[in-house]
């Protein structure tokens, strides 16, 4: 792998509690499993995909990603349920220090590859590029990171007892991309996430 190669990292190790008794990663969204929509959405702008999840999720996720047109690798933490920051750290530790990775969640099926391409382009020479949604909130689970700095930021947050990704990225000297800039490249619906069956239904209707 060279530093010019771009990785996608999808964290999917959550318990989907608000979703009910199913894993939202593989929930059917208008005929396509949600994580497959995320993976397909970013395929045009990545060279390889890493999926971070619990060991018992691997089989179902591997099967919905069958035939994906980029190499796929699974990274599972030894201790599950330690939060997305631990998942990001685990995934990023497996790639080169200088490489850039788009990190996202399994529940962001409207991800816009034109927005992601812009984040990668803005990232060159910086340790992180974090966009803001229309409501002004940072979207660190839809952002580009250089591995070494983000791994260090995750380790520092975890050592400090912080599980929140916003806490982890606070120490990074990140480029912040406002929604007005993103809109000139793609759609800020890219940030919409699906936490409940009702949200799944609402997003499904957009694909019909
Ligand atoms: N590896 C890992 N990923 C996680 C963990 N918790 C959440 N995630 C992932 O982080 C992303 C955002 O988390 P949430 O939207 O809160 O997902 P969730 O925790 O499965 O859902 P709820 O239980 O309803 O909060 C999702 O892609 C989750 O799969 C965790 O403990 N470990």
């Amino acid at each position: 792998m060279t530093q010019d190669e771009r990785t996608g990292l999808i964290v999917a190790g959550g318990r989907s509690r608000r979703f009910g008794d199913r894993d939202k990663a593989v929930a059917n969204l208008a005929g396509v499993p949600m994580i497959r929509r995320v993976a397909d959405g970013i395929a045009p702008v990545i060279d390889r995909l890493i999926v971070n999840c619990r060991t018992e999720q691997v089989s179902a996720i591997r099967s919905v990603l069958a035939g994906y047109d980029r190499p796929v690798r699974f990274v599972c933490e030894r201790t599950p349920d330690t939060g997305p920051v631990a998942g990001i750290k685990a995934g990023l530790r497996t790639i080169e220090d200088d490489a850039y990775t788009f990190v996202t969640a399994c529940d962001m099926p409207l991800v816009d590859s034109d927005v992601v391409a812009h984040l990668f382009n803005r990232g060159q020479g910086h340790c992180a590029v974090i966009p803001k949604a229309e409501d002004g909130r940072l979207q660190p689970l839809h952002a580009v990171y250089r591995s070494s700095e983000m791994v260090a930021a995750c380790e520092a947050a975890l050592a400090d007892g912080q599980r929140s990704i916003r806490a982890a990225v606070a120490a990074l000297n990140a480029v912040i991309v406002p929604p007005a800039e993103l809109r000139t490249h793609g759609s800020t619906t890219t940030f919409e996430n699906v936490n409940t069956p009702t949200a799944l239904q609402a997003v499904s209707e957009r694909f019909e």
Side-chain angles (χ1 to χ4, degrees):
M1 189 189 303
T2 74
Q3 100 181 51
D4 295 332
E5 291 182 327
R6 294 170 167 185
T7 304
L9 168 60
I10 304 176
V11 291
R15 294 279 174 177
S16 311
R17 288 181 183 86
R18 286 166 288 175
F19 204 73
D21 58 359
R22 294 178 292 153
D23 182 3
K24 64 181 170 181
V26 293
N28 180 342
L29 199 170
V32 179
M34 187 143 63
I35 195 168
R36 179 72 195 225
R37 287 205 181 267
V38 179
D40 286 346
I42 63 178
V45 292
I46 61 167
D47 298 297
R48 68 187 48 71
L49 180 67
I50 298 173
V51 176
N52 161 252
C53 62
R54 283 172 282 111
T55 311
E56 68 267 24
Q57 294 173 284
V58 170
S59 164
I61 295 178
R62 194 191 297 284
S63 118
V64 304
L65 292 177
Y68 188 60
D69 62 0
R70 297 283 183 274
V72 181
R73 192 148 47 81
F74 286 83
V75 176
C76 304
E77 299 98 285
R78 248 179 251 141
T79 313
D81 303 318
T82 41
V85 173
I88 292 167
K89 185 189 85 170
L92 291 184
R93 279 178 65 175
T94 66
I95 63 178
E96 288 187 351
D97 279 357
D98 291 342
Y100 285 94
T101 299
F102 175 66
V103 175
T104 193
C106 65
D107 62 359
M108 298 181 120
L110 299 175
V111 59
D112 181 340
S113 62
D114 292 332
V115 167
V116 180
H118 181 61
L119 298 178
F120 270 122
N121 292 338
R122 290 283 263 115
Q124 296 308 310
H126 300 278
C127 63
V129 182
I130 306 177
K132 275 186 175 174
E134 299 289 354
D135 63 4
R137 284 169 65 86
L138 284 178
Q139 297 292 319
L141 257 183
H142 205 85
V144 166
Y145 300 98
R146 194 161 53 198
S147 315
S148 51
E149 286 96 336
M150 186 54 174
V151 168
C154 291
E155 281 171 350
L158 293 167
D160 208 26
Q162 299 274 3
R163 286 172 62 113
S164 125
I165 181 164
R166 286 196 169 81
V169 301
L172 290 174
N173 187 15
V175 173
I176 305 299
V177 184
E181 179 178 327
L182 294 172
R183 268 186 256 119
T184 67
H185 294 273
S187 171
T188 54
T189 57
T190 195
F191 302 123
E192 288 187 33
N193 66 344
V194 173
N195 288 313
T196 63
T198 307
L200 183 79
Q201 179 61 34
V203 172
S204 296
E205 284 164 11
R206 301 205 210 157
F207 287 97
E208 283 158 5

